[in-house]
Amino acid sequence: MKNPPKIAFIMDPLASLSLKKDSTLAMIRAAQRRDWQISYLGIRDMFLHEGRVKGLLKRLSLTPGFLSSWEQPVSSEAIVESWCEQGEEVLTPLGDLDIIMMRKDPPFNLEYIYATYFLERAETEGALVVNRPRSLRDCNEKVFATEFTSVCPPLVVSSREDVLRDFQREHKNVVFKPLDGMGGASVFRIMEGDANLGVVLETLTDFGRQQIMGQVYLPEIVDGDKRILMIDGEPLPYALARVPLAGEARGNLAAGGTGEGRRLTERDRAIAETVGPELNRRGLLFAGIDVIGDYLTEINVTCPTCIRELDAQFSLDIAGMLMDCIETKLG
Protein backbone atom coordinates (compact mmCIF):
# COMPACT_ATOMS: atom_id res chain seq x y z
CA MET A 1 0.00 0.00 0.00
CA LYS A 2 1.28 3.43 -0.90
CA ASN A 3 2.28 5.54 2.09
CA PRO A 4 0.00 8.50 2.84
CA PRO A 5 1.30 11.88 1.64
CA LYS A 6 3.46 13.89 4.00
CA ILE A 7 2.14 17.44 4.17
CA ALA A 8 3.57 20.39 6.10
CA PHE A 9 1.90 23.73 6.73
CA ILE A 10 4.02 26.87 7.06
CA MET A 11 1.90 29.13 9.21
CA ASP A 12 1.70 31.76 11.90
CA PRO A 13 2.01 30.74 15.59
CA LEU A 14 -0.83 28.39 16.55
CA ALA A 15 -1.95 30.60 19.41
CA SER A 16 -2.61 33.45 16.96
CA LEU A 17 -5.11 31.52 14.82
CA SER A 18 -8.82 32.23 14.83
CA LEU A 19 -10.33 28.88 15.69
CA LYS A 20 -13.71 30.05 14.43
CA LYS A 21 -12.74 31.01 10.90
CA ASP A 22 -9.12 30.17 10.05
CA SER A 23 -8.93 28.64 6.57
CA THR A 24 -5.66 26.81 7.24
CA LEU A 25 -7.38 24.81 9.99
CA ALA A 26 -9.93 23.70 7.40
CA MET A 27 -7.06 22.45 5.22
CA ILE A 28 -5.49 20.61 8.18
CA ARG A 29 -8.87 19.03 8.94
CA ALA A 30 -9.23 17.91 5.32
CA ALA A 31 -5.74 16.37 5.32
CA GLN A 32 -6.41 14.65 8.66
CA ARG A 33 -9.65 13.14 7.36
CA ARG A 34 -7.55 11.59 4.57
CA ASP A 35 -5.06 10.16 7.10
CA TRP A 36 -2.18 12.18 5.67
CA GLN A 37 0.93 12.76 7.78
CA ILE A 38 0.58 16.37 8.95
CA SER A 39 3.28 18.64 10.29
CA TYR A 40 3.65 22.36 10.76
CA LEU A 41 6.43 24.90 11.11
CA GLY A 42 6.93 28.63 11.25
CA ILE A 43 8.70 30.74 8.68
CA ARG A 44 11.74 31.00 11.00
CA ASP A 45 11.93 27.22 11.40
CA MET A 46 13.39 26.82 7.88
CA PHE A 47 17.10 27.02 7.20
CA LEU A 48 19.78 26.01 4.72
CA HIS A 49 22.23 23.42 6.04
CA GLU A 50 24.81 21.27 4.24
CA GLY A 51 23.38 22.15 0.86
CA ARG A 52 19.75 21.29 1.67
CA VAL A 53 16.81 23.27 2.95
CA LYS A 54 15.57 21.81 6.21
CA GLY A 55 12.91 22.57 8.75
CA LEU A 56 12.13 21.91 12.38
CA LEU A 57 8.74 20.27 12.00
CA LYS A 58 6.18 19.25 14.59
CA ARG A 59 3.51 16.66 13.95
CA LEU A 60 0.04 18.14 14.33
CA SER A 61 -3.46 16.74 14.71
CA LEU A 62 -6.78 18.31 15.60
CA THR A 63 -8.40 16.81 18.69
CA PRO A 64 -11.66 14.82 18.48
CA GLY A 65 -13.37 17.38 20.71
CA PHE A 66 -12.47 20.23 18.42
CA LEU A 67 -13.51 18.31 15.32
CA SER A 68 -16.86 17.35 16.85
CA SER A 69 -17.62 21.02 17.50
CA TRP A 70 -16.44 22.12 14.06
CA GLU A 71 -19.60 23.99 13.12
CA GLN A 72 -19.37 26.07 16.31
CA PRO A 73 -15.69 25.98 17.31
CA VAL A 74 -14.44 27.03 20.70
CA SER A 75 -13.30 30.62 21.09
CA SER A 76 -9.95 31.79 19.79
CA GLU A 77 -8.87 32.47 23.38
CA ALA A 78 -8.80 28.75 24.20
CA ILE A 79 -5.34 27.39 24.92
CA VAL A 80 -3.62 25.64 22.03
CA GLU A 81 -3.57 22.24 23.72
CA SER A 82 -7.38 22.14 23.88
CA TRP A 83 -7.84 21.91 20.12
CA CYS A 84 -4.72 20.23 18.79
CA GLU A 85 -1.98 17.81 19.69
CA GLN A 86 1.64 18.50 18.81
CA GLY A 87 4.69 16.30 18.51
CA GLU A 88 8.32 17.06 19.24
CA GLU A 89 10.42 19.04 16.78
CA VAL A 90 12.01 16.84 14.13
CA LEU A 91 14.73 18.05 11.78
CA THR A 92 13.46 17.24 8.28
CA PRO A 93 14.74 18.03 4.78
CA LEU A 94 11.84 19.90 3.18
CA GLY A 95 12.47 18.19 -0.14
CA ASP A 96 11.51 14.89 1.50
CA LEU A 97 7.95 16.12 1.98
CA ASP A 98 5.26 15.45 -0.58
CA ILE A 99 3.36 18.72 -0.07
CA ILE A 100 4.21 22.06 1.52
CA MET A 101 1.38 24.53 2.07
CA MET A 102 2.67 28.11 2.37
CA ARG A 103 0.03 29.67 4.63
CA LYS A 104 1.98 32.45 6.29
CA ASP A 105 0.06 35.71 6.49
CA PRO A 106 1.69 38.93 5.27
CA PRO A 107 3.57 41.20 5.87
CA PHE A 108 5.34 40.46 2.63
CA ASN A 109 8.81 41.49 3.77
CA LEU A 110 12.38 40.30 3.23
CA GLU A 111 11.87 37.35 5.58
CA TYR A 112 8.95 36.23 3.41
CA ILE A 113 11.09 36.57 0.29
CA TYR A 114 13.90 34.53 1.86
CA ALA A 115 11.30 31.87 2.70
CA THR A 116 10.35 31.65 -0.99
CA TYR A 117 14.02 31.01 -1.81
CA PHE A 118 14.04 28.09 0.62
CA LEU A 119 10.76 26.75 -0.73
CA GLU A 120 12.00 27.02 -4.29
CA ARG A 121 14.91 24.79 -3.31
CA ALA A 122 12.50 22.30 -1.70
CA GLU A 123 10.47 22.39 -4.91
CA THR A 124 13.49 21.43 -7.01
CA GLU A 125 14.10 18.53 -4.60
CA GLY A 126 10.65 17.10 -5.23
CA ALA A 127 8.13 18.74 -2.91
CA LEU A 128 4.90 20.19 -4.31
CA VAL A 129 4.69 23.71 -2.88
CA VAL A 130 1.30 25.43 -2.85
CA ASN A 131 1.47 28.10 -4.08
CA ARG A 132 4.56 28.06 -6.33
CA PRO A 133 7.29 30.00 -4.48
CA ARG A 134 8.45 32.00 -7.47
CA SER A 135 4.90 33.20 -8.12
CA LEU A 136 4.40 34.10 -4.47
CA ARG A 137 7.45 36.30 -4.87
CA ASP A 138 6.48 37.76 -8.24
CA CYS A 139 2.75 38.35 -7.83
CA ASN A 140 2.14 41.29 -5.55
CA GLU A 141 -1.55 40.96 -4.80
CA LYS A 142 -2.47 44.47 -5.89
CA VAL A 143 -0.03 44.93 -8.77
CA PHE A 144 -0.65 41.44 -10.19
CA ALA A 145 -4.31 42.32 -10.69
CA THR A 146 -3.33 45.23 -12.94
CA GLU A 147 -2.14 42.75 -15.61
CA PHE A 148 -5.79 42.17 -16.45
CA THR A 149 -6.56 45.63 -17.78
CA SER A 150 -9.85 44.64 -19.41
CA VAL A 151 -11.43 43.93 -16.02
CA CYS A 152 -9.63 46.46 -13.78
CA PRO A 153 -10.92 49.91 -12.73
CA PRO A 154 -8.91 53.06 -13.52
CA LEU A 155 -5.85 53.09 -11.27
CA VAL A 156 -2.33 54.36 -10.80
CA VAL A 157 0.75 53.02 -9.00
CA SER A 158 3.32 55.60 -8.03
CA SER A 159 5.35 57.09 -5.20
CA ARG A 160 5.25 60.62 -6.63
CA GLU A 161 2.85 63.00 -4.97
CA ASP A 162 2.24 65.00 -8.15
CA VAL A 163 1.25 61.87 -10.09
CA LEU A 164 -1.07 60.74 -7.33
CA ARG A 165 -2.60 64.20 -6.97
CA ASP A 166 -3.23 64.33 -10.73
CA PHE A 167 -5.03 61.00 -10.52
CA GLN A 168 -7.24 62.22 -7.69
CA ARG A 169 -7.89 65.51 -9.51
CA GLU A 170 -9.01 63.60 -12.61
CA HIS A 171 -11.24 61.07 -10.89
CA LYS A 172 -12.21 63.08 -7.77
CA ASN A 173 -13.45 60.16 -5.65
CA VAL A 174 -10.60 57.68 -5.18
CA VAL A 175 -9.04 55.19 -2.80
CA PHE A 176 -5.33 55.14 -1.90
CA LYS A 177 -3.75 52.05 -0.35
CA PRO A 178 -0.35 50.47 0.31
CA LEU A 179 0.83 47.67 -1.96
CA ASP A 180 1.73 45.31 0.90
CA GLY A 181 -1.27 45.69 3.20
CA MET A 182 -3.96 43.19 4.15
CA GLY A 183 -7.33 43.21 5.87
CA GLY A 184 -8.14 46.73 4.68
CA ALA A 185 -5.35 48.30 6.77
CA SER A 186 -4.33 51.85 5.78
CA VAL A 187 -6.90 52.16 2.97
CA PHE A 188 -8.03 55.78 2.57
CA ARG A 189 -10.95 57.15 0.59
CA ILE A 190 -10.31 60.69 -0.68
CA MET A 191 -13.07 62.79 -2.20
CA GLU A 192 -12.93 66.08 -4.06
CA GLY A 193 -11.68 68.92 -1.89
CA ASP A 194 -10.49 66.66 0.94
CA ALA A 195 -7.96 68.63 2.98
CA ASN A 196 -6.34 65.39 4.18
CA LEU A 197 -5.00 64.46 0.74
CA GLY A 198 -1.50 65.72 1.41
CA VAL A 199 -1.00 63.99 4.74
CA VAL A 200 -2.49 60.75 3.40
CA LEU A 201 -0.05 60.69 0.48
CA GLU A 202 2.89 61.62 2.71
CA THR A 203 1.99 58.85 5.15
CA LEU A 204 1.37 56.11 2.60
CA THR A 205 4.37 56.90 0.39
CA ASP A 206 6.65 57.71 3.33
CA PHE A 207 7.35 61.08 1.69
CA GLY A 208 7.86 59.61 -1.77
CA ARG A 209 9.90 56.56 -0.79
CA GLN A 210 7.23 53.88 -1.26
CA GLN A 211 5.01 52.97 -4.19
CA ILE A 212 1.26 52.96 -3.47
CA MET A 213 -1.90 52.39 -5.48
CA GLY A 214 -4.63 54.86 -6.32
CA GLN A 215 -7.90 53.39 -7.52
CA VAL A 216 -11.19 54.93 -8.54
CA TYR A 217 -13.71 54.55 -5.72
CA LEU A 218 -16.31 51.97 -6.67
CA PRO A 219 -19.69 52.81 -5.10
CA GLU A 220 -20.74 49.18 -5.49
CA ILE A 221 -18.64 48.49 -2.39
CA VAL A 222 -21.81 49.12 -0.37
CA ASP A 223 -23.10 45.81 -1.79
CA GLY A 224 -19.90 44.01 -0.85
CA ASP A 225 -16.31 43.29 -1.86
CA LYS A 226 -16.65 39.76 -3.24
CA ARG A 227 -13.98 37.14 -2.60
CA ILE A 228 -14.06 34.43 -5.26
CA LEU A 229 -11.93 31.39 -4.43
CA MET A 230 -10.11 29.72 -7.32
CA ILE A 231 -8.86 26.12 -7.28
CA ASP A 232 -6.60 25.11 -10.16
CA GLY A 233 -7.76 28.12 -12.19
CA GLU A 234 -11.48 27.41 -11.73
CA PRO A 235 -13.83 29.48 -9.54
CA LEU A 236 -16.11 28.04 -6.91
CA PRO A 237 -19.77 28.73 -7.75
CA TYR A 238 -20.19 31.04 -4.76
CA ALA A 239 -18.45 34.18 -3.54
CA LEU A 240 -18.29 35.73 -0.09
CA ALA A 241 -19.45 39.34 -0.34
CA ARG A 242 -17.82 41.28 2.48
CA VAL A 243 -20.30 44.05 3.16
CA PRO A 244 -18.89 47.10 4.96
CA LEU A 245 -20.31 48.66 8.07
CA ALA A 246 -22.50 51.71 7.53
CA GLY A 247 -20.29 54.70 6.75
CA GLU A 248 -17.25 52.49 6.09
CA ALA A 249 -15.48 52.24 2.72
CA ARG A 250 -13.84 48.87 3.42
CA GLY A 251 -15.61 45.54 3.30
CA ASN A 252 -12.79 43.44 4.77
CA LEU A 253 -13.92 41.14 7.56
CA ALA A 254 -10.92 42.33 9.58
CA ALA A 255 -12.31 45.88 9.25
CA GLY A 256 -15.73 44.90 10.58
CA GLY A 257 -17.39 43.80 7.35
CA THR A 258 -20.09 41.11 7.29
CA GLY A 259 -19.69 38.06 5.07
CA GLU A 260 -22.67 37.19 2.88
CA GLY A 261 -22.52 34.26 0.48
CA ARG A 262 -23.60 34.95 -3.09
CA ARG A 263 -23.86 32.88 -6.25
CA LEU A 264 -21.46 34.11 -8.94
CA THR A 265 -22.86 36.48 -11.54
CA GLU A 266 -22.04 36.26 -15.25
CA ARG A 267 -19.60 39.14 -14.80
CA ASP A 268 -17.92 37.36 -11.87
CA ARG A 269 -17.46 34.29 -14.04
CA ALA A 270 -16.10 36.36 -16.91
CA ILE A 271 -13.50 37.90 -14.60
CA ALA A 272 -12.57 34.47 -13.24
CA GLU A 273 -12.21 33.11 -16.77
CA THR A 274 -9.92 36.02 -17.63
CA VAL A 275 -7.67 35.41 -14.63
CA GLY A 276 -7.78 31.60 -14.39
CA PRO A 277 -5.38 30.64 -17.21
CA GLU A 278 -2.66 32.93 -15.84
CA LEU A 279 -3.10 31.49 -12.35
CA ASN A 280 -2.55 28.04 -13.83
CA ARG A 281 0.48 29.15 -15.80
CA ARG A 282 2.09 30.54 -12.67
CA GLY A 283 1.33 27.54 -10.48
CA LEU A 284 -1.09 29.45 -8.24
CA LEU A 285 -3.21 26.46 -7.34
CA PHE A 286 -5.27 28.25 -4.68
CA ALA A 287 -6.06 31.94 -5.01
CA GLY A 288 -8.75 34.43 -4.12
CA ILE A 289 -9.81 37.13 -6.54
CA ASP A 290 -11.56 40.22 -5.19
CA VAL A 291 -14.34 41.84 -7.21
CA ILE A 292 -16.24 45.05 -6.52
CA GLY A 293 -19.13 45.66 -8.89
CA ASP A 294 -17.84 44.83 -12.37
CA TYR A 295 -14.14 45.15 -11.56
CA LEU A 296 -11.24 43.03 -10.37
CA THR A 297 -9.42 44.84 -7.55
CA GLU A 298 -6.94 42.32 -6.10
CA ILE A 299 -5.68 38.76 -6.45
CA ASN A 300 -4.81 37.11 -3.15
CA VAL A 301 -2.12 34.46 -3.58
CA THR A 302 -0.25 34.40 -0.27
CA CYS A 303 -2.90 33.14 2.14
CA PRO A 304 -6.44 33.20 0.69
CA THR A 305 -9.21 32.97 3.28
CA CYS A 306 -13.04 32.74 3.49
CA ILE A 307 -13.17 28.93 3.27
CA ARG A 308 -14.96 28.48 6.58
CA GLU A 309 -17.58 31.16 5.88
CA LEU A 310 -18.50 29.73 2.48
CA ASP A 311 -18.49 26.17 3.80
CA ALA A 312 -20.93 27.14 6.54
CA GLN A 313 -23.33 29.03 4.28
CA PHE A 314 -23.44 26.55 1.40
CA SER A 315 -22.58 23.19 3.01
CA LEU A 316 -19.34 22.96 1.05
CA ASP A 317 -16.00 21.31 1.75
CA ILE A 318 -13.64 23.69 -0.03
CA ALA A 319 -10.51 22.48 1.73
CA GLY A 320 -11.45 18.92 0.78
CA MET A 321 -11.81 19.97 -2.85
CA LEU A 322 -8.37 21.61 -2.64
CA MET A 323 -6.75 18.51 -1.11
CA ASP A 324 -8.33 16.31 -3.80
CA CYS A 325 -6.89 18.62 -6.44
CA ILE A 326 -3.47 18.58 -4.79
CA GLU A 327 -3.51 14.79 -4.61
CA THR A 328 -3.99 14.62 -8.39
CA LYS A 329 -0.89 16.78 -8.83
CA LEU A 330 1.23 14.27 -6.94
CA GLY A 331 0.87 11.77 -9.74
Side-chain angles (χ1 to χ4, degrees), residues 228 230 233-235 264 267-277 279 289 291:
I228 302 171
M230 307 278 290
E234 295 292 331
L264 297 192
R267 177 62 175 176
D268 294 336
R269 290 187 178 278
I271 293 172
E273 289 171 3
T274 300
V275 175
L279 296 179
I289 66 175
V291 174

Side-chain angles (χ1 to χ4, degrees), residues 46-170:
M46 293 187 289
F47 54 92
L48 183 64
H49 181 238
E50 296 179 344
R52 297 197 71 185
V53 172
K54 302 176 181 180
L56 293 168
L57 278 61
K58 290 184 178 181
R59 291 293 293 270
L60 178 68
S61 62
L62 304 179
T63 61
F66 180 59
L67 291 173
S68 66
S69 62
W70 184 255
E71 299 303 325
Q72 295 181 329
V74 295
S75 70
S76 297
E77 289 74 26
I79 59 174
V80 168
E81 287 76 14
S82 69
W83 61 270
C84 72
E85 296 175 352
Q86 305 174 61
E88 297 295 322
E89 282 188 342
V90 177
L91 179 62
T92 306
L94 296 188
D96 290 351
L97 297 166
D98 297 297
I99 308 154
I100 302 174
M101 302 294 296
M102 180 51 159
R103 294 291 299 172
K104 172 71 176 68
D105 275 338
F108 189 91
N109 52 20
L110 279 175
E111 287 303 307
Y112 196 104
I113 291 174
Y114 296 150
T116 66
Y117 295 152
F118 289 158
L119 291 174
E120 210 165 16
R121 185 76 65 91
E123 189 177 48
T124 63
E125 294 177 359
L128 172 63
V129 183
V130 180
N131 284 315
R132 183 179 295 163
R134 179 175 182 177
S135 294
L136 289 177
R137 195 166 60 242
D138 289 350
C139 298
N140 174 275
E141 296 177 339
K142 295 178 177 62
V143 177
F144 181 32
T146 67
E147 291 189 17
F148 307 95
T149 55
S150 65
V151 293
C152 281
L155 58 85
V156 66
V157 177
S158 178
S159 60
R160 286 185 52 142
E161 183 173 337
D162 57 343
V163 172
L164 298 167
R165 281 184 176 274
D166 286 345
F167 180 79
Q168 193 275 332
R169 188 177 300 113
E170 178 184 358

Side-chain angles (χ1 to χ4, degrees), residues 74-330:
V74 295
S75 70
S76 297
E77 289 74 26
I79 59 174
V80 168
E81 287 76 14
S82 69
W83 61 270
C84 72
E85 296 175 352
Q86 305 174 61
E88 297 295 322
E89 282 188 342
V90 177
L91 179 62
T92 306
L94 296 188
D96 290 351
L97 297 166
D98 297 297
I99 308 154
I100 302 174
M101 302 294 296
M102 180 51 159
R103 294 291 299 172
K104 172 71 176 68
D105 275 338
F108 189 91
N109 52 20
L110 279 175
E111 287 303 307
Y112 196 104
I113 291 174
Y114 296 150
T116 66
Y117 295 152
F118 289 158
L119 291 174
E120 210 165 16
R121 185 76 65 91
E123 189 177 48
T124 63
E125 294 177 359
L128 172 63
V129 183
V130 180
N131 284 315
R132 183 179 295 163
R134 179 175 182 177
S135 294
L136 289 177
R137 195 166 60 242
D138 289 350
C139 298
N140 174 275
E141 296 177 339
K142 295 178 177 62
V143 177
F144 181 32
T146 67
E147 291 189 17
F148 307 95
T149 55
S150 65
V151 293
C152 281
L155 58 85
V156 66
V157 177
S158 178
S159 60
R160 286 185 52 142
E161 183 173 337
D162 57 343
V163 172
L164 298 167
R165 281 184 176 274
D166 286 345
F167 180 79
Q168 193 275 332
R169 188 177 300 113
E170 178 184 358
H171 296 285
K172 299 179 175 59
N173 194 355
V174 304
V175 169
F176 290 112
K177 52 188 175 180
L179 296 180
D180 59 353
M182 62 172 289
S186 300
V187 176
F188 293 87
R189 178 186 177 187
I190 298 292
M191 292 181 280
E192 189 173 16
D194 194 324
N196 290 309
L197 174 60
V199 69
V200 166
L201 296 182
E202 290 169 1
T203 301
L204 290 179
T205 68
D206 190 19
F207 294 90
R209 288 186 284 266
Q210 294 183 18
Q211 302 279 343
I212 68 169
M213 176 175 283
Q215 204 171 65
V216 167
Y217 174 75
L218 300 171
E220 295 87 350
I221 184 63
V222 298
D223 297 320
D225 178 356
K226 288 182 284 189
R227 166 61 57 83
I228 302 171
L229 293 177
M230 307 278 290
I231 296 178
D232 203 18
E234 295 292 331
L236 296 178
Y238 304 99
L240 191 74
R242 296 159 296 176
V243 181
L245 293 169
E248 174 64 69
R250 302 169 299 170
N252 309 75
L253 300 183
T258 302
E260 297 180 4
R262 309 252 179 91
R263 185 174 288 276
L264 297 192
T265 66
E266 289 186 11
R267 177 62 175 176
D268 294 336
R269 290 187 178 278
I271 293 172
E273 289 171 3
T274 300
V275 175
E278 185 64 11
L279 296 179
N280 274 344
R281 189 184 74 81
R282 291 179 179 265
L284 294 167
L285 191 63
F286 185 57
I289 66 175
D290 292 346
V291 174
I292 300 175
D294 289 336
Y295 294 104
L296 173 71
T297 58
E298 295 185 19
I299 303 176
N300 188 293
V301 301
T302 54
C303 195
T305 60
C306 299
I307 286 178
R308 304 276 291 277
E309 294 87 348
L310 286 169
D311 277 356
Q313 293 189 41
F314 297 106
S315 299
L316 302 174
D317 180 15
I318 297 169
M321 295 166 61
L322 176 60
M323 294 302 138
D324 288 344
C325 177
I326 288 172
E327 191 166 22
T328 67
K329 304 293 183 182
L330 295 178

